[in-house]
Amino acid sequence: MHDDDHAHGDSDDSDGNGDNSAGTGAGRPHGHTDRPREDREQEDREQEAFRALLRAQRVWDLERLPVFDPDTAPGEPLALFRRWFTEAARAGQPEPHTMTLATADERGRPDLRTLTLHDADSRGWHFATHATSRKGRHLAARPEAALGFYWPAQARAVRVRGAVHSASREESETDLRVRSTGALASALVGRQSEVLGSVEELARASEAAWERARREPEAPVASWTAYVLVPDEVEFFQGDTRRRHVRLRYRREGDGWVRELLWP
């Protein structure tokens, strides 16, 4: 779940035994030593500045973190997800419905992207995209995925993993109709993940799509597909200032769920 090696201002992780590559030149591009000295020195300064900035970042910079008692958690994960989502929204978490979707291609190579949650109900976690997009093709080849939510306003994260299936054509069309004009226009543009010739080409296609979306608010988009991730595992992570993080995993077993605590 959340990797907080530098959490709360901790800026020195080295214990003398690990591989601390900072300042050693590790990761320099091939041919670094063949470049002019001034260029190398400038690159080194920029690298050190980046590392210093990276190590200075804080996470969960809150006066008080929420307390999560796993003994009070419900018997199934959907109820807890809805509760945490509501609490994140009320805590001012921007875009709490934003999530990361991880898939794998036909060779098993992983990929991920950011998109929005469309629903969460007894069937599973819902999202939508073009079936012709990269993620759509991945799901066709390997119909399994994982979702990740991160709500720093509450020092919480949720991970959902399971099989994915496409919803009916009618449900996919309904999903698009209830969204904004901009969402429809974007769907009408299509060609997601294809190579773009120029920004002017995108501008022309987008303008035409916006005009059609306003003129035909129920315009069909054949490739638009709603998907449902049916979870077999859902993990809830609650951060703790002393790094005694609470990790509660729900694991599907038969028709029910098994709850397990995990070491941080």
Side-chain angles (χ1 to χ4, degrees):
M1 300 296 284
H2 185 67
D3 179 358
D4 66 335
D5 285 347
H6 299 296
H8 308 291
D10 293 354
S11 60
D12 185 3
D13 281 0
S14 177
D15 58 4
N17 299 316
D19 178 15
N20 184 4
S21 60
T24 65
R28 290 177 178 174
H30 181 68
H32 179 87
T33 56
D34 297 331
R35 299 171 60 193
R37 177 179 177 182
E38 294 80 4
D39 289 351
R40 298 199 308 269
E41 291 177 345
Q42 177 63 24
E43 181 176 329
D44 288 342
R45 287 193 294 270
E46 291 175 355
Q47 183 64 63
E48 288 306 315
F50 173 76
R51 287 173 176 151
L53 179 63
L54 186 63
R55 290 171 175 170
Q57 300 310 300
R58 297 169 61 88
V59 298
W60 312 330
D61 197 7
L62 309 171
E63 292 184 4
R64 186 170 180 270
L65 297 185
V67 176
F68 172 51
D69 181 357
D71 290 336
T72 65
E76 52 87 23
L78 179 61
L80 184 56
F81 178 83
R82 287 174 169 171
R83 182 195 307 170
W84 275 26
F85 183 93
T86 300
E87 291 174 356
R90 290 175 176 170
Q93 175 63 53
E95 302 182 5
H97 61 319
T98 300
M99 62 186 186
T100 299
L101 167 69
T103 59
D105 65 14
E106 65 280 357
R107 293 169 54 188
R109 296 178 300 177
D111 203 350
L112 56 82
R113 69 287 293 162
T114 302
L115 67 169
T116 58
L117 178 70
H118 288 197
D119 199 2
D121 58 20
S122 59
R123 291 185 297 159
W125 274 248
H126 299 239
F127 60 94
T129 188
H130 292 281
T132 53
S133 67
R134 177 180 291 183
K135 51 187 173 293
R137 297 194 302 271
H138 286 185
L139 292 171
R142 290 174 174 259
E144 294 182 298
L147 303 175
F149 298 84
Y150 178 45
W151 300 318
Q154 295 275 282
R156 287 174 172 172
V158 180
R159 181 176 60 85
V160 187
R161 184 170 68 173
V164 177
H165 65 81
S166 56
S168 67
R169 185 73 255 148
E170 179 182 6
E171 188 171 356
S172 297
E173 292 173 354
T174 299
D175 174 87
L176 192 55
R177 283 199 298 270
V178 300
R179 302 185 73 202
S180 66
T181 301
L184 174 58
S186 178
L188 287 168
V189 171
R191 303 184 66 179
Q192 191 175 64
S193 302
E194 295 182 18
V195 175
L196 176 65
S198 67
V199 293
E200 291 78 15
E201 183 182 357
L202 173 59
R204 290 192 299 270
S206 177
E207 186 60 33
W210 272 90
E211 291 178 3
R212 186 182 177 193
R214 295 188 186 100
R215 187 175 66 250
E216 301 177 54
E218 295 188 6
V221 181
S223 60
W224 189 256
T225 305
Y227 293 91
V228 183
L229 187 154
V230 182
D232 54 41
E233 183 177 306
V234 184
E235 181 185 329
F236 295 83
F237 173 99
Q238 173 64 69
D240 177 81
T241 55
R242 295 184 62 81
R243 306 197 184 191
R244 299 168 184 170
H245 312 310
V246 178
R247 294 178 63 189
L248 175 65
R249 179 173 65 188
Y250 289 80
R251 181 169 48 81
R252 192 182 293 276
E253 192 170 279
D255 295 331
W257 294 92
V258 174
R259 294 187 303 175
E260 302 166 319
L261 288 175
L262 304 179
W263 283 85

